Amino acid sequence: MRLLIHNLLMCNVSKCDQNNYPLIIKVDKSIIVQTEFKQDLIVKLIQKLDFQALSQTVKSLGDDTFPEQIPQDFIKDLQFLQRMHRILYETHIITGELTCPNPQCQRTYPIVNGIPNMILTEDEI
Amino acid sequence: MIKKKQLDSCLSQIDDFEKPIWKLEQYMTPFDMASSMIQHIMMNEDISGQIVADLGCGTGMLSAAILCAGAHHVIGYEIDKQAADIAQKNLEEVHGSGFDIILTDIQYHKFKGQVDTIIMNPPFGTKNENIDTIFLKKSFGKTIIYDKNIVEEIFIHYIRLQLDNIYKDQENQIIELLRFQKHTSFHYQNDS
């Protein structure tokens, strides 16, 4: 699971409708797989993301220096763009867990073989 | 633009479901059909650089097709773990990278965010009535919020295919290829 995907996931439990995003990540195993950096595509993607959620998540994973907001001249900031590429496309979480931040819910979704399992039980739908 | 021969040879490597689950209407989209669908899409827009969602990706045939045709990244949504694992293997073999798979029930999945194009060859509803409508509804969003600042087109390409002999019900035929076009992008969220 890439962090790009994590940005699209919220707690699926039907009744959980507040404070259900972003999911808290616990990493057991992750790998970096290098892929081609495409500047214009990263720029496009950054504008579509929930950047606040990404920032929160990256910080929770130990990177204190990650910006809270998109830097003003980000389109020309190659260093920032390459960092975003590394974080969004090249970092794969192979094993771990996603936990709902809602204290009344805290449902955990496992990540196995790089695939997050968001399927609910009968009483959660 | 990729040639049909290259696309076909890329897709002929895709492995099928191991033991198709009758209740989920599992069958692999024939590779020439996937190829035709993707060529149709390519005639209407430039998929290079796009982020695409494949709803009900199965073993990854449509995802592989759109990746081979130049999409930047594909997100496959699939309910069956075995199919998802096969899809992962297939896509790794055929394309190496550029995809992610989410194991989920599309009926109850809360979608967030934006993609450029959604593709699917969903179940039809012979076993689970109205499931095809659910797939479509989830693509458009139950609650649609129009963001006036962004103008993009989201295409939904949908092939209807009748069940084949495995289920001993009907014959294998393409009924229709439906294409929906929306002129504003949307952020879609589950009704809450």
Side-chain angles (χ1 to χ4, degrees):
Chain A
M1 187 197 73
R2 290 175 170 83
L3 286 181
L4 159 64
I5 302 305
H6 168 263
N7 204 253
L8 304 174
L9 297 175
M10 61 198 319
C11 181
N12 271 350
V13 174
S14 168
K15 289 195 201 126
C16 181
D17 55 4
Q18 294 189 69
N19 196 10
N20 53 17
Y21 175 84
L23 300 173
I24 301 166
I25 305 182
K26 172 174 163 278
V27 181
D28 291 323
K29 177 177 179 214
S30 69
I31 58 174
I32 307 274
V33 178
Q34 290 202 322
T35 51
E36 195 189 338
F37 172 73
K38 291 185 179 168
Q39 185 160 348
D40 51 334
L41 295 183
I42 271 286
V43 166
K44 234 177 59 169
L45 176 61
I46 288 169
Q47 294 169 86
K48 287 205 186 109
L49 286 177
D50 186 324
F51 193 83
Q52 201 182 18
L54 179 69
S55 173
Q56 203 179 320
T57 301
V58 172
K59 291 213 175 96
S60 80
L61 294 174
D63 184 351
D64 291 326
T65 66
F66 195 83
E68 301 244 343
Q69 288 172 338
I70 304 175
Q72 271 211 329
D73 290 315
F74 80 98
I75 295 176
K76 300 178 194 156
D77 188 345
L78 201 59
Q79 208 180 26
F80 172 73
L81 295 175
Q82 283 172 337
R83 187 182 190 180
M84 289 296 278
H85 174 77
R86 160 67 47 118
I87 288 169
L88 291 168
Y89 279 116
E90 296 188 326
T91 310
H92 296 254
I93 299 169
I94 305 294
T95 323
E97 280 176 355
L98 298 170
T99 303
C100 177
N102 182 353
Q104 262 88 54
C105 177
Q106 299 188 316
R107 212 274 196 193
T108 295
Y109 302 90
I111 303 169
V112 173
N113 193 23
I115 299 175
N117 186 341
M118 311 298 296
I119 297 177
L120 303 170
T121 60
E122 282 279 319
D123 47 313
E124 289 173 322
I125 60 180
Chain B
M1 197 165 101
I2 192 174
K3 294 199 176 124
K4 185 179 195 302
K5 247 201 282 188
Q6 288 168 275
L7 194 50
D8 285 350
S9 98
C10 163
L11 299 181
S12 60
Q13 299 171 63
I14 303 288
D15 287 328
D16 201 345
F17 291 92
E18 265 161 25
K19 285 189 199 151
I21 297 171
W22 178 83
K23 257 197 276 195
L24 295 175
E25 293 185 47
Q26 290 184 336
Y27 55 89
M28 189 170 75
T29 304
F31 79 80
D32 53 345
M33 182 174 299
S35 178
S36 301
M37 179 168 158
I38 267 58
Q39 284 179 76
H40 177 90
I41 295 173
M42 287 194 291
M43 287 196 287
N44 290 299
E45 61 187 298
D46 182 11
I47 26 172
S48 67
Q50 282 197 19
I51 296 179
V52 178
D54 180 356
L55 302 192
C57 69
T59 63
M61 177 64 78
L62 290 184
S63 294
I66 205 129
L67 270 178
C68 291
H72 183 60
H73 203 88
V74 163
I75 307 165
Y77 294 78
E78 173 54 46
I79 195 173
D80 175 29
K81 185 182 188 309
Q82 279 185 332
D85 288 339
I86 296 173
Q88 181 138 276
K89 256 195 289 167
N90 276 335
L91 291 169
E92 255 160 44
E93 241 173 62
V94 151
H95 206 261
S97 185
F99 65 91
D100 275 279
I101 297 176
I102 299 170
L103 203 56
T104 193
D105 184 342
I106 284 173
Q107 214 170 341
Y108 305 110
H109 187 83
K110 294 182 191 170
F111 286 87
K112 190 186 188 336
Q114 276 185 313
V115 295
D116 297 307
T117 297
I118 298 172
I119 55 175
M120 55 181 151
N121 181 7
F124 293 122
T126 59
K127 304 298 170 250
N128 178 359
E129 219 178 297
N130 296 320
I131 189 75
D132 54 340
T133 321
I134 290 168
F135 270 67
L136 279 175
K137 271 203 189 134
K138 287 289 186 159
S139 304
F140 284 113
K142 281 197 270 186
T143 307
I144 299 178
I145 302 157
Y146 289 96
D147 185 334
K148 288 180 230 131
N149 298 320
I150 304 169
V151 179
E152 257 173 60
E153 291 169 319
I154 296 182
F155 292 90
I156 299 176
H157 299 269
Y158 171 40
I159 292 181
R160 296 208 83 186
L161 178 69
Q162 280 185 311
L163 284 184
D164 68 10
N165 305 333
I166 296 175
Y167 307 100
K168 296 182 178 126
D169 282 336
Q170 288 140 337
E171 289 168 274
N172 204 356
Q173 269 179 1
I174 305 173
I175 305 177
E176 55 196 273
L177 176 70
L178 304 176
R179 179 169 156 255
F180 299 85
Q181 189 168 315
K182 298 207 86 198
H183 289 281
T184 52
S185 72
F186 56 85
H187 294 128
Y188 56 106
Q189 299 170 318
N190 216 40
D191 277 328
S192 52

